[in-house]
Structures are given as C-alpha cells and as structure tokens.
Amino acid sequence: MQIAMIGLGRMGAGMVRRLLAAGHECVVWDVNADAVAELSAEGAVPAATVQELTEKMQSPRAVWMMVPAGIVDTVIGDVVSHLGEGDVLIDGGNSMWRDDLRRHAELAERGIRYVDAGVSGGVWGQERGYCLMVGGEPEAISHVQPALEALAPGADSASRTPGHEGEPTSAESGWLHCGPSGAGHFVKMVHNGIEYGLMSAYAEGLGILSHAGVGAHDREHDAETTPLRTPEAFQYDLDLPAITELWRRGSVIGSWLLDLTAAALHEDPGLDGFAGRVSDSGEGRWTLEAAIETGSPAPVLAAALFQRFASRGEDEFGRRVLSAMRHQFGGHVEKKA
C-alpha cells in the first residue's frame, strides 16, 4: 500500500525502512531535510512540505505521524487542510487517550478517519518488528492493516501460547485493534507504566547486589551512621555483568529488558557513562491518573514513577527539610558526602 510518514526520528525512520523492505510505498516528510534525503536515497518518495506530501498520494490517503505528543495538534493543524473525506490520519506517538477522543470527533466532522496507534519496539523495532496497539473505527483499521502487518513482528517472533490453534490472530502477529478511539493509546499508556515498574525492579535488585561487599570496607563509627551488624555477611564482590547473563538463561525473571541490561553492563560494568537522571514522558503519570479515577491499586507503578522524579533531583528540597528537622529536634549535623 501507499502510506506517508511525518516525523523521521529514531522511530519514524526505522518504521519507514521496515515498510519499504516489505514492498510498501512510503512518502516522507520531516522538518529535517537531511532525514528526508537519507530515506529518499533508500527508496522513499521525498516531500519538501506537508502539502507536497499529500499531493503525491492517491486517495484515500493514509498519513502516519511519529512526532512528540506535545506537537501532535500542531501537525494535525498543518496537515488536515490537505486531507479529504475518507483519508486516514494515524497518530503513532505517545499521546494521551483523552486527546484521541477530541481529535477523533473533530476530524470526523471533516470526514477524516483517525487512528491512534501505540508503538513499542524502540530503536530495535526496524529489525525485530513493532508491537502495535491500535484504536479507531474498524473501517479505518482495515484500510491501514497491510502497513500494520508489515510493521508488526509476525507470529513467529514468539512461541505460541498453549491452547491456541488455527490461524494466528493479529495479536499473535504483534498488532491488535484494541477498541474504539483512544483504546490503542490507553493500552500503550499502561504498557509504559508497567515498563516503569519492571525497570525499577531490575534497577533496585541490581543495586542491592552492587552493595553486597560493604562489609569488606571500613565504615565510620558515629551517631550519624547506622552500624553494620554483621559485616562478615556482606563480603561479596559480585560480577553483575555475569549475573545478568546468568539470569537470561532459564530464570523466571528473564526478559528482553534483562537482555538489554546485560548488554549495557557488558559495555560499561560500572555504568559510568550514565548520571542516573531518568526522564518520564507522561505515560506513567497518566497511568496513575487512570488508576486513581478507576480505583485500581497500582503501588508499584506509583513508586517507580516517583523514583524517576527523585532521580532528577526533584526531592532535593524534601531531603533538606528532613535534615533541618533532625537538626532541630536532635542537633544532628549533616555528614559530608
């Protein structure tokens, strides 16, 4: 099929390459002309403007946006005047599902069909395929189904769940029409909330392992330092890269995230190339908002989100308050780092 891609960053460019490899025609545009030229050299149809992009397409058009959530409305405003009745506009970014409901209603008044597509796979998606969580009207999904099938990993990317028989479902192939408008981004939002929790669990566990040798080091003995009761029990100099490699094989906590963690530790065992400031792009917050509104407990996901805030120094003033209180009631003086 013919499909356009607006936004040729790490995700968008990889998706175009995967679509081209599957034989689809891709018309591409980005504010970065070099990105357009690079994909043009690989077989994509270049466009210098959004208007040119739509003019190079046959109706009904399918235009996929892979842009940050904060500028989706701006991009829609730029492209919508060049689309016509029956065209499909897909938002593949990490938009909030409530915004999808508004956008769907506004575009429907123009006869334009709107699809929200949660895309997971990161920079590895071009090779491995992208997990796609899609929301919208069935007719719009059917129109872009060939592209979804090309982008998805395929049924052979994972062993079949026992009990499944017959032709693989779309979910088994790596894409799913989750429901009406907003459903795709809602599922992707919770997916990313879970991702926060999984990442924190690995990070906290490996952090404990990294401290397993504290008993072999001298500790200060003063009123401000908790004594180590059994230093002989913490004499382990553990090889974290080797442990993550071990856990990848036969362990119940094996996962692709663990695979990536093992790769990172192999490249940089002390992770000295990272400062530890962890960003959040919104989905974790929205997941907790949904959990609160629906009364669904999510303490692990909440803790993981707040840990990200703390990693960026957002807890600094709170920590100062703690030190100030200890000084007030007990005369405790802060120890130097």
Side-chain angles (χ1 to χ4, degrees):
M1 69 173 292
Q2 184 189 54
I3 188 166
M5 184 69 71
I6 295 177
L8 306 176
R10 289 172 296 180
M11 291 287 284
M15 293 168 69
V16 168
R17 291 186 173 100
R18 189 169 176 88
L19 288 166
L20 289 173
H24 296 288
E25 179 184 342
C26 295
V27 186
V28 299
W29 177 81
D30 192 280
V31 292
N32 181 355
D34 291 340
V36 176
E38 184 175 341
L39 285 171
S40 174
E42 297 178 33
V45 178
T49 64
V50 169
Q51 180 177 349
E52 183 181 338
L53 175 138
T54 58
E55 289 175 349
K56 289 186 174 182
M57 301 189 70
Q58 302 170 354
S59 295
R61 305 174 186 87
V63 178
W64 194 307
M65 302 177 294
M66 284 303 293
V67 299
I71 66 169
V72 170
D73 283 324
T74 300
V75 175
I76 290 177
D78 291 339
V79 72
V80 70
S81 61
H82 305 295
L83 297 179
E85 186 170 352
D87 289 345
V88 180
L89 186 60
I90 307 126
D91 176 14
N94 286 322
S95 291
M96 191 179 197
W97 89 96
R98 289 191 179 96
D99 291 333
D100 293 322
L101 302 180
R102 169 180 55 82
R103 291 165 183 157
H104 174 268
E106 292 172 351
L107 291 170
E109 293 179 356
R110 295 172 171 261
I112 298 170
R113 299 175 290 179
Y114 177 79
V115 171
D116 53 283
V119 183
S120 182
V123 295
W124 295 90
Q126 180 184 338
E127 175 187 345
R128 290 166 49 97
Y130 301 88
C131 176
L132 302 168
M133 296 145 268
V134 186
E137 298 172 354
E139 296 78 9
I141 305 301
S142 295
H143 182 71
V144 299
Q145 182 171 336
L148 298 176
E149 292 175 344
L151 290 168
D156 59 353
S157 61
S159 58
R160 202 162 200 193
T161 300
H164 282 227
E165 298 178 353
E167 287 295 317
T169 64
S170 69
E172 289 181 283
S173 296
W175 72 274
L176 179 67
H177 182 196
C178 299
S181 185
H185 279 150
F186 191 91
V187 174
K188 177 56 162 50
M189 172 190 75
V190 177
H191 165 284
N192 283 20
I194 293 171
E195 181 182 296
Y196 284 21
L198 291 172
M199 292 173 70
S200 286
Y202 283 125
E204 291 178 14
L206 289 167
I208 294 170
L209 294 178
S210 74
H211 285 84
V214 295
H217 307 288
D218 291 333
R219 291 168 65 88
E220 295 185 36
H221 300 282
D222 55 46
E224 304 302 320
T225 305
T226 303
L228 191 62
R229 292 177 57 192
T230 55
E232 67 276 8
F234 299 97
Q235 301 280 331
Y236 306 116
D237 182 15
L238 299 176
D239 186 339
L240 299 191
I243 289 171
T244 52
E245 284 295 338
L246 170 69
W247 285 350
R248 292 180 62 214
R249 294 163 173 83
S251 166
V252 296
I253 63 168
S255 72
W256 187 45
L257 275 175
L258 182 61
D259 296 344
L260 297 175
T261 304
L265 287 169
H266 175 72
E267 295 169 3
D268 182 3
L271 300 181
D272 298 322
F274 299 90
R277 292 177 57 87
V278 187
S279 299
D280 73 286
S281 54
E283 301 92 327
R285 305 182 190 208
W286 305 335
T287 300
L288 291 186
E289 288 180 18
I292 291 168
E293 291 191 28
T294 60
S296 178
V300 172
L301 306 192
L305 176 63
F306 293 143
Q307 184 183 53
R308 293 192 175 204
F309 295 166
S311 78
R312 305 195 297 267
E314 301 296 344
D315 63 342
E316 182 178 355
F317 186 77
R319 289 186 280 111
R320 291 180 182 180
V321 172
L322 291 174
S323 286
M325 288 190 290
R326 293 186 79 247
H327 180 70
Q328 287 292 326
F329 66 67
H332 301 281
V333 178
E334 283 186 336
K335 295 186 66 173
K336 294 183 179 179

